[in-house]
Amino acid sequence: ILICYKYYYLNIEAKIVMQPIYVKKTSSHRYGFGAEFNSVIAFLHLYELGTYAGMEVDFQKSGNSYDPTVGDNSWLYYFEPLKVGSSEKAKIVEMDWDVNVALPFYCETREENYRIIQKYIKIKKPILDKVDQFVSQRFGSSFVIGVFHRGTDKWQEATTLKYDEIRDKVRRVLE
């Protein structure tokens, strides 16, 4: 909590002493799309706190999801354009994912992050249609539980569990 407070405090103080900053959120090849998505939420939190005058998401021909045959901004492959606030009279700064900026995101509640997502981030209709079609064709009216098994890139931070262990645990919980 102290670390969270420290970063919030520093970001709020930065707003007071500097000219307004408008963030142009970019991407890099260092992080996956999930981390990039999380950093967008972090920037939106900071925007709502008044740290930034505004922000927009433009992954500019970069990131792990970039495909030149689909388009220049991989954010737009899945989501509607995201631009909030104003760049008028503000210094425009391109920012990649940064732990100092994203750290406050990890201190927020799931409910707060859900609120941010619902307010600002809109999934494109063709993507929603594909999901609806997939669910309808494969699951119909069945009760479905999704389990996200992250076992590739976080092996140093968490104990690795075998798929069988997870499957068995889910079955026990459902009984």
Side-chain angles (χ1 to χ4, degrees):
I1 294 172
L2 261 175
I3 293 172
C4 299
Y5 174 78
K6 174 184 169 193
Y7 282 100
Y8 272 124
Y9 180 78
L10 290 175
N11 283 315
I12 291 168
E13 287 299 306
K15 178 194 126 201
I16 295 168
V17 297
M18 297 179 357
Q19 76 180 84
I21 294 176
Y22 182 87
V23 175
K24 194 166 189 180
K25 171 68 182 86
T26 60
S27 181
S28 78
H29 292 286
R30 295 178 294 176
Y31 309 105
F33 202 83
E36 297 291 1
F37 186 86
N38 288 346
S39 70
V40 168
I41 295 171
F43 280 112
L44 289 167
H45 277 293
L46 294 172
Y47 164 72
E48 285 194 342
L49 286 171
T51 305
Y52 302 119
M55 71 161 287
E56 68 182 278
V57 179
D58 183 356
F59 286 174
Q60 308 173 346
K61 298 183 181 180
S62 63
N64 289 328
S65 300
Y66 171 63
D67 180 349
T69 65
V70 180
D72 292 343
N73 183 354
S74 58
W75 177 266
L76 298 179
Y77 301 172
Y78 312 102
F79 305 104
E80 296 296 335
L82 176 53
K83 185 174 183 178
V84 296
S86 173
S87 60
E88 188 177 329
K89 297 182 182 177
K91 179 180 179 180
I92 298 175
V93 177
E94 291 188 3
M95 288 190 181
D96 192 348
W97 191 91
D98 182 337
V99 71
N100 294 325
V101 173
L103 183 61
F105 159 75
Y106 295 105
C107 303
E108 295 296 331
T109 64
R110 289 181 181 180
E111 293 80 11
E112 178 62 11
N113 291 321
Y114 178 77
R115 183 192 67 75
I116 291 282
I117 291 167
Q118 293 301 305
K119 183 174 180 178
Y120 296 105
I121 300 173
K122 307 298 179 211
I123 300 171
K124 288 190 166 187
K125 186 170 178 356
I127 300 295
L128 291 172
D129 292 343
K130 279 184 178 182
V131 170
D132 289 343
Q133 182 181 21
F134 179 89
V135 169
S136 175
Q137 289 174 351
R138 287 170 179 77
F139 307 124
S141 61
S142 300
F143 178 75
V144 177
I145 294 177
V147 177
F148 175 66
H149 182 263
R150 184 174 201 155
T152 56
D153 63 337
K154 296 296 179 184
W155 58 273
Q156 291 179 321
E157 292 100 352
T159 304
T160 303
L161 298 174
K162 295 179 180 172
Y163 290 110
D164 293 345
E165 293 176 52
I166 294 170
R167 181 200 61 222
D168 294 345
K169 176 69 175 181
V170 169
R171 285 182 176 160
R172 283 193 304 276
V173 168
L174 292 175
E175 291 175 347

